[in-house]
Amino acid sequence: MSEETDPLKLLKAQLASALDADATDFETILQLAAQISKLEPDVVRFTTDAAMVRRLGRELVAKQETALGELVKNAYDADATVCSVDLVERGEGTYAFEIVDDGSGMTQSELADGFMRLASDSKVRNPLSPRFHRSRAGKKGIGRFATERLGQRLTIVTQTVEEKDAWTVTIDWDAFAQGSDIGLIANRIVSGPKEREHGTRLTIEGLRDEWTDADLRRVYRYLATLLQPMFEEAESGRGPDDAGFSVRLTRSGNDLGNEDVATIDTEILDQALAIIEAHVDEAGNATWALDCTRFEITLKDVPIGLDRNMVSPLANARNVRLKAWYFIQSREFLGHSTGFVKRLLVEQGGIRLYRNGYRVRPYGEKHDDWLGLDFKNTRIYAPFNSKTFLGFVAVSDPTGERFEETSSREGLIQTAALEEVRQLAYTVLVSAVGRIEAKRGLGRKKPEAKDPQGGESAAKEAEAAAAGIEQLLQDIEHDDGSGIDPERREQLSIAVDRLSAAARASADFASERDALLEELSMMRILASMGLTIAEFTHDFSALAETMELNLNALAGAAGPRSDQFDVALGRFRNQFRQVRAYTAHFGSMTTSNASRDLQNVDLYGFCRQFVDDLSVMFDRRGLELTVERPSEYQLLTAAMHPSEWSSVLLNLLTNAIKAVNRSGRQGRFLIQLGRLDGNQIYLDFSDNGDGILPENRSQIFDAFFTTSGAAPVRASESVQALGTGLGLKIVADIASAAGGFVAVLDKAPEGFVTTIRVAVSAAPEPQVIV
């Protein structure tokens, strides 16, 4: 075979000529070298058809949303904190994607040996990202195929901190046609000015699919496990730890400007049931606010403190801000976003802590419950745990005097200021959710005209309606085919209406049942406390006489003693008498409850006895409770348990004491009695406290509504049960059961601020006092 006809010699000559040329033609040299390699005797090699890229792009990434999501994952793997995806209208119905991140970017070698190399093992060799040490989220090698799945052309502009220039590569995926060798398709790379300090921009043109806003939102939800909400309000800088990762999906174009389609606000925060905020100023004064559009609750600048019953400035904490979004994870509140929001809250829910604009870990991490939100709280029946909140606490302390980092930079030193912040945040969240639950419960209250048999009656009605329809259908089967006559049509319509009404009644009954179960659960807790009190008063009464004798013997045996001893002994005697007065009162009520007989209660006499029983407590606290003699000598109630009036007076008194404590005044209380038209008698209880806000007057008698602060974090169930918002609800229930009502009067007597009236049915005439 001559040299002219020998393929190998011919190709070698052509290659030598190409190599000797002044202008190097790299593409020709590569093609000739590839052809020469095929002529090696007794050897075969794998080659890759360029169409493989298209096939992999379509088969590995079948859905357009998945393809776009994989590119965002690549930004996450590159230690980006922000990734924006903009669907840009280019005119005449054409669109392009602009995907920009602030990640580490790629050097020229990383671009050539990483992105441009199929089946690169860089992510296998480096499973964690270099800066934030994130576990790689992107599927190995899928990103480049995802860009082919999305559009015809890809332009990459990337830059790193280390290099002074940016690198740009443009890839025309249509060049990867069937029959071409993938290794012979050249993609030009050029350097140019940086667009930013570091990061990458991908421009995908000639999109293969139409994109709706719903498609873009699905991408956002697909990325739920990656999203780490960043609170720009709390952040002023970023430390060495992971600063979070947020995604923004927008539309833009000639007429659109820049329009948000999916952001943390639209897809997550806007789904929250409420926004809760709190602020501690330079003097330590704390206020909180609540915005819940769903239940029309708007509270602003409500004073709050660590004492449940009195507002006072914090002793140590200063310049603190809390902002939390509250979620109830049910379809009723989240709609179609339920699954997405649930997944995000499982991974990212909680309250983070920022100090001087930097996030402090581990506070608010997945398994860190620094506020004690996951501790069982028997006071709250609404969902309440770390996964129902998304938010932050931000403290400002440039000098580090109040909030100081540990030497390991993991957390803050446990100071009094940090403990106050912890308690305040917990108190605010509990108070806010309690307000929501109280208002939410109104929507579940039993309507006045409800069937007392509830679900049973509804079920019977449904069965009867179904039987009526079945009978009509049987009659129609035996008909002559002339259709349904007007009379049967009317009967069928009535039966269907009955069935529909029964179904609605069944649904209402289920809702009522849930509300009653909540209330029953709290009543069970209060009942168990009552049994405990009864047992205690019984045992204490048996010991009290012996303790009194021992106290007298101790005083007599002491001999000559100092004035300080006498003062201490006198103080102890007074405290002991107060305890005896309490136990005597509760013991009397327990004894009366043991007998289930109802009595006509002499209201004036009962109130006088109540004052006498608790007189030691009034004297010690400097409180004054006056019972005015009514103009009518005897005011007898209809048959009731005397203990019910004890419950009424105790609940009114404890709420009034809280009110005067908040006001800072010396407590004065007044009980006035009288008779109303319509055979009712009333008790008016007045106090000189801080009053009741007009917007709260219609709610204070609802279950679970309270203005008391929350119990301390991880408090016992008995402590949590105090201030549950059931006290005045119990008063209202007692009055209602006795044929009366309870109300806040518009005007209080002179010298007093608030008057609550409790009215009940009077005993019929003639009367005999029992």
Side-chain angles (χ1 to χ4, degrees), residues 279-287 304-307 310-320 402-403 416-425 427:
H279 178 255
V280 181
D281 65 16
E282 185 64 42
N285 299 304
T287 57
I304 193 169
L306 298 184
D307 189 319
M310 181 183 299
V311 176
S312 58
L314 304 187
N316 301 282
R318 300 289 186 273
N319 302 317
V320 180
R402 303 180 188 277
F403 306 99
L418 180 61
E419 181 60 24
E420 286 182 354
V421 168
R422 184 166 166 265
Q423 291 287 353
L424 179 71
T427 298

mmCIF file of all heavy atoms in Angstrom, residues 279-287 304-307 310-320 402-403 416-425 427:
data_model
loop_
_atom_site.group_PDB
_atom_site.id
_atom_site.type_symbol
_atom_site.label_atom_id
_atom_site.label_comp_id
_atom_site.label_asym_id
_atom_site.label_seq_id
_atom_site.Cartn_x
_atom_site.Cartn_y
_atom_site.Cartn_z
ATOM 1 N N HIS A 279 -39.967 43.793 72.528
ATOM 2 C CA HIS A 279 -38.825 44.711 72.522
ATOM 3 C C HIS A 279 -38.496 45.107 73.956
ATOM 4 O O HIS A 279 -39.392 45.355 74.772
ATOM 5 C CB HIS A 279 -39.177 45.964 71.708
ATOM 6 C CG HIS A 279 -38.086 46.986 71.687
ATOM 7 N ND1 HIS A 279 -38.138 48.153 72.422
ATOM 8 C CD2 HIS A 279 -36.889 46.996 71.044
ATOM 9 C CE1 HIS A 279 -37.037 48.847 72.218
ATOM 10 N NE2 HIS A 279 -36.267 48.178 71.399
ATOM 11 N N VAL A 280 -37.208 45.119 74.268
ATOM 12 C CA VAL A 280 -36.725 45.611 75.562
ATOM 13 C C VAL A 280 -35.861 46.832 75.267
ATOM 14 O O VAL A 280 -34.890 46.739 74.509
ATOM 15 C CB VAL A 280 -35.906 44.543 76.312
ATOM 16 C CG1 VAL A 280 -35.442 45.094 77.664
ATOM 17 C CG2 VAL A 280 -36.713 43.266 76.504
ATOM 18 N N ASP A 281 -36.195 47.959 75.872
ATOM 19 C CA ASP A 281 -35.474 49.192 75.552
ATOM 20 C C ASP A 281 -34.241 49.372 76.441
ATOM 21 O O ASP A 281 -33.878 48.498 77.227
ATOM 22 C CB ASP A 281 -36.404 50.397 75.634
ATOM 23 C CG ASP A 281 -36.929 50.650 77.054
ATOM 24 O OD1 ASP A 281 -36.347 50.105 78.020
ATOM 25 O OD2 ASP A 281 -37.923 51.398 77.196
ATOM 26 N N GLU A 282 -33.639 50.536 76.356
ATOM 27 C CA GLU A 282 -32.401 50.829 77.076
ATOM 28 C C GLU A 282 -32.606 50.829 78.588
ATOM 29 O O GLU A 282 -31.659 50.593 79.350
ATOM 30 C CB GLU A 282 -31.861 52.192 76.618
ATOM 31 C CG GLU A 282 -30.511 52.571 77.191
ATOM 32 C CD GLU A 282 -29.402 51.625 76.749
ATOM 33 O OE1 GLU A 282 -29.379 51.247 75.559
ATOM 34 O OE2 GLU A 282 -28.575 51.262 77.603
ATOM 35 N N ALA A 283 -33.838 51.083 79.031
ATOM 36 C CA ALA A 283 -34.128 51.125 80.470
ATOM 37 C C ALA A 283 -34.647 49.793 81.001
ATOM 38 O O ALA A 283 -34.972 49.688 82.187
ATOM 39 C CB ALA A 283 -35.141 52.233 80.752
ATOM 40 N N GLY A 284 -34.771 48.794 80.135
ATOM 41 C CA GLY A 284 -35.257 47.492 80.580
ATOM 42 C C GLY A 284 -36.754 47.329 80.494
ATOM 43 O O GLY A 284 -37.297 46.297 80.918
ATOM 44 N N ASN A 285 -37.473 48.314 79.956
ATOM 45 C CA ASN A 285 -38.922 48.202 79.806
ATOM 46 C C ASN A 285 -39.244 47.289 78.626
ATOM 47 O O ASN A 285 -38.731 47.483 77.527
ATOM 48 C CB ASN A 285 -39.545 49.578 79.567
ATOM 49 C CG ASN A 285 -39.287 50.521 80.732
ATOM 50 O OD1 ASN A 285 -39.613 50.213 81.867
ATOM 51 N ND2 ASN A 285 -38.677 51.664 80.443
ATOM 52 N N ALA A 286 -40.120 46.319 78.867
ATOM 53 C CA ALA A 286 -40.446 45.319 77.843
ATOM 54 C C ALA A 286 -41.892 45.487 77.388
ATOM 55 O O ALA A 286 -42.792 45.696 78.208
ATOM 56 C CB ALA A 286 -40.231 43.910 78.379
ATOM 57 N N THR A 287 -42.092 45.395 76.081
ATOM 58 C CA THR A 287 -43.439 45.414 75.509
ATOM 59 C C THR A 287 -43.523 44.315 74.460
ATOM 60 O O THR A 287 -42.509 43.844 73.952
ATOM 61 C CB THR A 287 -43.756 46.765 74.847
ATOM 62 O OG1 THR A 287 -42.767 47.038 73.841
ATOM 63 C CG2 THR A 287 -43.766 47.887 75.864
ATOM 64 N N ILE A 304 -45.057 44.200 79.547
ATOM 65 C CA ILE A 304 -44.928 42.856 80.088
ATOM 66 C C ILE A 304 -43.659 42.795 80.927
ATOM 67 O O ILE A 304 -42.719 43.568 80.725
ATOM 68 C CB ILE A 304 -44.886 41.792 78.959
ATOM 69 C CG1 ILE A 304 -45.061 40.387 79.512
ATOM 70 C CG2 ILE A 304 -43.603 41.908 78.136
ATOM 71 C CD1 ILE A 304 -45.298 39.332 78.443
ATOM 72 N N GLY A 305 -43.656 41.919 81.904
ATOM 73 C CA GLY A 305 -42.483 41.725 82.749
ATOM 74 C C GLY A 305 -42.346 40.265 83.106
ATOM 75 O O GLY A 305 -43.105 39.412 82.642
ATOM 76 N N LEU A 306 -41.379 39.957 83.945
ATOM 77 C CA LEU A 306 -41.155 38.562 84.336
ATOM 78 C C LEU A 306 -42.074 38.135 85.463
ATOM 79 O O LEU A 306 -42.324 36.942 85.637
ATOM 80 C CB LEU A 306 -39.686 38.373 84.752
ATOM 81 C CG LEU A 306 -38.660 38.648 83.646
ATOM 82 C CD1 LEU A 306 -37.261 38.341 84.140
ATOM 83 C CD2 LEU A 306 -38.966 37.826 82.406
ATOM 84 N N ASP A 307 -42.577 39.091 86.258
ATOM 85 C CA ASP A 307 -43.566 38.787 87.288
ATOM 86 C C ASP A 307 -44.909 38.589 86.603
ATOM 87 O O ASP A 307 -45.354 39.435 85.818
ATOM 88 C CB ASP A 307 -43.649 39.933 88.293
ATOM 89 C CG ASP A 307 -44.509 39.584 89.502
ATOM 90 O OD1 ASP A 307 -45.562 38.949 89.316
ATOM 91 O OD2 ASP A 307 -44.116 39.949 90.627
ATOM 92 N N MET A 310 -47.333 41.538 87.849
ATOM 93 C CA MET A 310 -46.937 42.930 87.949
ATOM 94 C C MET A 310 -45.888 43.243 86.885
ATOM 95 O O MET A 310 -44.931 42.489 86.721
ATOM 96 C CB MET A 310 -46.358 43.220 89.337
ATOM 97 C CG MET A 310 -45.940 44.675 89.548
ATOM 98 S SD MET A 310 -45.191 44.941 91.177
ATOM 99 C CE MET A 310 -46.551 44.490 92.232
ATOM 100 N N VAL A 311 -46.079 44.338 86.187
ATOM 101 C CA VAL A 311 -45.130 44.740 85.150
ATOM 102 C C VAL A 311 -44.080 45.644 85.764
ATOM 103 O O VAL A 311 -44.397 46.669 86.369
ATOM 104 C CB VAL A 311 -45.848 45.464 83.999
ATOM 105 C CG1 VAL A 311 -44.840 45.957 82.977
ATOM 106 C CG2 VAL A 311 -46.859 44.541 83.336
ATOM 107 N N SER A 312 -42.825 45.270 85.608
ATOM 108 C CA SER A 312 -41.718 46.090 86.075
ATOM 109 C C SER A 312 -40.544 45.907 85.120
ATOM 110 O O SER A 312 -40.445 44.886 84.436
ATOM 111 C CB SER A 312 -41.310 45.694 87.497
ATOM 112 O OG SER A 312 -40.956 44.325 87.549
ATOM 113 N N PRO A 313 -39.634 46.881 85.043
ATOM 114 C CA PRO A 313 -38.499 46.770 84.113
ATOM 115 C C PRO A 313 -37.627 45.558 84.438
ATOM 116 O O PRO A 313 -37.515 45.141 85.594
ATOM 117 C CB PRO A 313 -37.735 48.083 84.337
ATOM 118 C CG PRO A 313 -38.740 49.020 84.926
ATOM 119 C CD PRO A 313 -39.648 48.170 85.754
ATOM 120 N N LEU A 314 -36.993 45.017 83.420
ATOM 121 C CA LEU A 314 -36.042 43.931 83.626
ATOM 122 C C LEU A 314 -34.805 44.479 84.332
ATOM 123 O O LEU A 314 -34.372 45.598 84.083
ATOM 124 C CB LEU A 314 -35.657 43.296 82.296
ATOM 125 C CG LEU A 314 -36.801 42.750 81.426
ATOM 126 C CD1 LEU A 314 -36.226 41.995 80.223
ATOM 127 C CD2 LEU A 314 -37.717 41.841 82.218
ATOM 128 N N ALA A 315 -34.231 43.671 85.194
ATOM 129 C CA ALA A 315 -33.098 44.133 85.996
ATOM 130 C C ALA A 315 -31.805 44.173 85.203
ATOM 131 O O ALA A 315 -30.937 45.016 85.463
ATOM 132 C CB ALA A 315 -32.938 43.238 87.222
ATOM 133 N N ASN A 316 -31.655 43.290 84.216
ATOM 134 C CA ASN A 316 -30.362 43.148 83.555
ATOM 135 C C ASN A 316 -30.407 43.297 82.031
ATOM 136 O O ASN A 316 -29.519 43.907 81.446
ATOM 137 C CB ASN A 316 -29.753 41.780 83.903
ATOM 138 C CG ASN A 316 -29.552 41.604 85.396
ATOM 139 O OD1 ASN A 316 -28.620 42.128 85.974
ATOM 140 N ND2 ASN A 316 -30.461 40.847 86.040
ATOM 141 N N ALA A 317 -31.389 42.713 81.377
ATOM 142 C CA ALA A 317 -31.418 42.686 79.912
ATOM 143 C C ALA A 317 -31.764 44.067 79.350
ATOM 144 O O ALA A 317 -32.635 44.767 79.876
ATOM 145 C CB ALA A 317 -32.414 41.648 79.427
ATOM 146 N N ARG A 318 -31.091 44.425 78.269
ATOM 147 C CA ARG A 318 -31.334 45.683 77.589
ATOM 148 C C ARG A 318 -31.213 45.458 76.076
ATOM 149 O O ARG A 318 -30.498 44.573 75.621
ATOM 150 C CB ARG A 318 -30.303 46.748 78.000
ATOM 151 C CG ARG A 318 -30.295 47.086 79.491
ATOM 152 C CD ARG A 318 -31.545 47.865 79.893
ATOM 153 N NE ARG A 318 -31.490 48.313 81.278
ATOM 154 C CZ ARG A 318 -31.891 47.598 82.321
ATOM 155 N NH1 ARG A 318 -32.370 46.381 82.130
ATOM 156 N NH2 ARG A 318 -31.828 48.091 83.545
ATOM 157 N N ASN A 319 -31.914 46.278 75.304
ATOM 158 C CA ASN A 319 -31.776 46.296 73.841
ATOM 159 C C ASN A 319 -31.946 44.899 73.242
ATOM 160 O O ASN A 319 -31.028 44.330 72.645
ATOM 161 C CB ASN A 319 -30.422 46.878 73.447
ATOM 162 C CG ASN A 319 -30.225 48.289 73.978
ATOM 163 O OD1 ASN A 319 -31.137 49.105 73.924
ATOM 164 N ND2 ASN A 319 -29.043 48.557 74.508
ATOM 165 N N VAL A 320 -33.140 44.363 73.423
ATOM 166 C CA VAL A 320 -33.464 43.021 72.951
ATOM 167 C C VAL A 320 -34.671 43.108 72.024
ATOM 168 O O VAL A 320 -35.600 43.890 72.265
ATOM 169 C CB VAL A 320 -33.784 42.073 74.122
ATOM 170 C CG1 VAL A 320 -34.127 40.673 73.614
ATOM 171 C CG2 VAL A 320 -32.618 42.018 75.101
ATOM 172 N N ARG A 402 -23.201 42.289 78.988
ATOM 173 C CA ARG A 402 -24.400 41.543 79.384
ATOM 174 C C ARG A 402 -24.485 40.181 78.703
ATOM 175 O O ARG A 402 -24.980 39.220 79.293
ATOM 176 C CB ARG A 402 -25.656 42.361 79.054
ATOM 177 C CG ARG A 402 -25.678 43.734 79.703
ATOM 178 C CD ARG A 402 -26.935 44.498 79.331
ATOM 179 N NE ARG A 402 -26.884 45.880 79.780
ATOM 180 C CZ ARG A 402 -27.200 46.283 81.007
ATOM 181 N NH1 ARG A 402 -27.602 45.395 81.893
ATOM 182 N NH2 ARG A 402 -27.120 47.558 81.327
ATOM 183 N N PHE A 403 -24.057 40.110 77.461
ATOM 184 C CA PHE A 403 -24.139 38.864 76.706
ATOM 185 C C PHE A 403 -22.747 38.541 76.159
ATOM 186 O O PHE A 403 -22.333 39.067 75.135
ATOM 187 C CB PHE A 403 -25.148 38.994 75.558
ATOM 188 C CG PHE A 403 -26.511 39.446 76.004
ATOM 189 C CD1 PHE A 403 -26.891 40.776 75.883
ATOM 190 C CD2 PHE A 403 -27.403 38.551 76.564
ATOM 191 C CE1 PHE A 403 -28.138 41.201 76.295
ATOM 192 C CE2 PHE A 403 -28.663 38.963 76.976
ATOM 193 C CZ PHE A 403 -29.034 40.286 76.849
ATOM 194 N N ALA A 416 -27.269 36.620 84.076
ATOM 195 C CA ALA A 416 -28.622 36.994 84.488
ATOM 196 C C ALA A 416 -29.385 37.624 83.329
ATOM 197 O O ALA A 416 -30.599 37.413 83.177
ATOM 198 C CB ALA A 416 -28.553 37.957 85.671
ATOM 199 N N ALA A 417 -28.692 38.393 82.498
ATOM 200 C CA ALA A 417 -29.351 39.031 81.349
ATOM 201 C C ALA A 417 -29.847 37.985 80.365
ATOM 202 O O ALA A 417 -30.962 38.093 79.835
ATOM 203 C CB ALA A 417 -28.384 39.990 80.659
ATOM 204 N N LEU A 418 -29.036 36.959 80.087
ATOM 205 C CA LEU A 418 -29.455 35.913 79.152
ATOM 206 C C LEU A 418 -30.650 35.149 79.707
ATOM 207 O O LEU A 418 -31.583 34.812 78.960
ATOM 208 C CB LEU A 418 -28.292 34.958 78.884
ATOM 209 C CG LEU A 418 -28.590 33.806 77.916
ATOM 210 C CD1 LEU A 418 -28.982 34.348 76.541
ATOM 211 C CD2 LEU A 418 -27.385 32.883 77.793
ATOM 212 N N GLU A 419 -30.653 34.887 81.012
ATOM 213 C CA GLU A 419 -31.783 34.176 81.615
ATOM 214 C C GLU A 419 -33.053 35.018 81.532
ATOM 215 O O GLU A 419 -34.147 34.492 81.278
ATOM 216 C CB GLU A 419 -31.473 33.825 83.067
ATOM 217 C CG GLU A 419 -32.581 33.063 83.783
ATOM 218 C CD GLU A 419 -32.927 31.734 83.128
ATOM 219 O OE1 GLU A 419 -32.058 31.156 82.421
ATOM 220 O OE2 GLU A 419 -34.075 31.278 83.281
ATOM 221 N N GLU A 420 -32.937 36.329 81.701
ATOM 222 C CA GLU A 420 -34.104 37.197 81.568
ATOM 223 C C GLU A 420 -34.643 37.179 80.147
ATOM 224 O O GLU A 420 -35.866 37.147 79.928
ATOM 225 C CB GLU A 420 -33.750 38.627 81.976
ATOM 226 C CG GLU A 420 -33.601 38.826 83.466
ATOM 227 C CD GLU A 420 -33.296 40.269 83.828
ATOM 228 O OE1 GLU A 420 -33.086 41.088 82.912
ATOM 229 O OE2 GLU A 420 -33.278 40.574 85.029
ATOM 230 N N VAL A 421 -33.757 37.202 79.163
ATOM 231 C CA VAL A 421 -34.176 37.135 77.763
ATOM 232 C C VAL A 421 -34.908 35.820 77.510
ATOM 233 O O VAL A 421 -35.952 35.787 76.840
ATOM 234 C CB VAL A 421 -32.960 37.268 76.830
ATOM 235 C CG1 VAL A 421 -33.339 36.911 75.393
ATOM 236 C CG2 VAL A 421 -32.417 38.683 76.884
ATOM 237 N N ARG A 422 -34.368 34.755 78.034
ATOM 238 C CA ARG A 422 -34.981 33.430 77.854
ATOM 239 C C ARG A 422 -36.387 33.388 78.448
ATOM 240 O O ARG A 422 -37.342 32.928 77.814
ATOM 241 C CB ARG A 422 -34.067 32.397 78.519
ATOM 242 C CG ARG A 422 -34.475 30.956 78.371
ATOM 243 C CD ARG A 422 -33.298 30.068 78.781
ATOM 244 N NE ARG A 422 -33.688 28.695 78.986
ATOM 245 C CZ ARG A 422 -34.014 28.176 80.168
ATOM 246 N NH1 ARG A 422 -33.974 28.939 81.243
ATOM 247 N NH2 ARG A 422 -34.361 26.921 80.275
ATOM 248 N N GLN A 423 -36.516 33.877 79.681
ATOM 249 C CA GLN A 423 -37.817 33.871 80.339
ATOM 250 C C GLN A 423 -38.800 34.807 79.636
ATOM 251 O O GLN A 423 -39.979 34.478 79.468
ATOM 252 C CB GLN A 423 -37.666 34.278 81.813
ATOM 253 C CG GLN A 423 -36.943 33.272 82.680
ATOM 254 C CD GLN A 423 -37.793 32.051 82.978
ATOM 255 O OE1 GLN A 423 -38.976 32.000 82.655
ATOM 256 N NE2 GLN A 423 -37.190 31.046 83.585
ATOM 257 N N LEU A 424 -38.313 35.979 79.218
ATOM 258 C CA LEU A 424 -39.202 36.939 78.565
ATOM 259 C C LEU A 424 -39.706 36.395 77.232
ATOM 260 O O LEU A 424 -40.898 36.504 76.914
ATOM 261 C CB LEU A 424 -38.479 38.265 78.342
ATOM 262 C CG LEU A 424 -39.326 39.340 77.647
ATOM 263 C CD1 LEU A 424 -40.404 39.838 78.592
ATOM 264 C CD2 LEU A 424 -38.466 40.492 77.160
ATOM 265 N N ALA A 425 -38.815 35.814 76.433
ATOM 266 C CA ALA A 425 -39.225 35.271 75.139
ATOM 267 C C ALA A 425 -40.280 34.185 75.330
ATOM 268 O O ALA A 425 -41.296 34.148 74.620
ATOM 269 C CB ALA A 425 -38.013 34.715 74.395
ATOM 270 N N THR A 427 -42.313 33.830 77.892
ATOM 271 C CA THR A 427 -43.540 34.451 78.399
ATOM 272 C C THR A 427 -44.329 35.103 77.270
ATOM 273 O O THR A 427 -45.555 34.963 77.184
ATOM 274 C CB THR A 427 -43.189 35.504 79.465
ATOM 275 O OG1 THR A 427 -42.538 34.861 80.552
ATOM 276 C CG2 THR A 427 -44.437 36.199 79.978
#
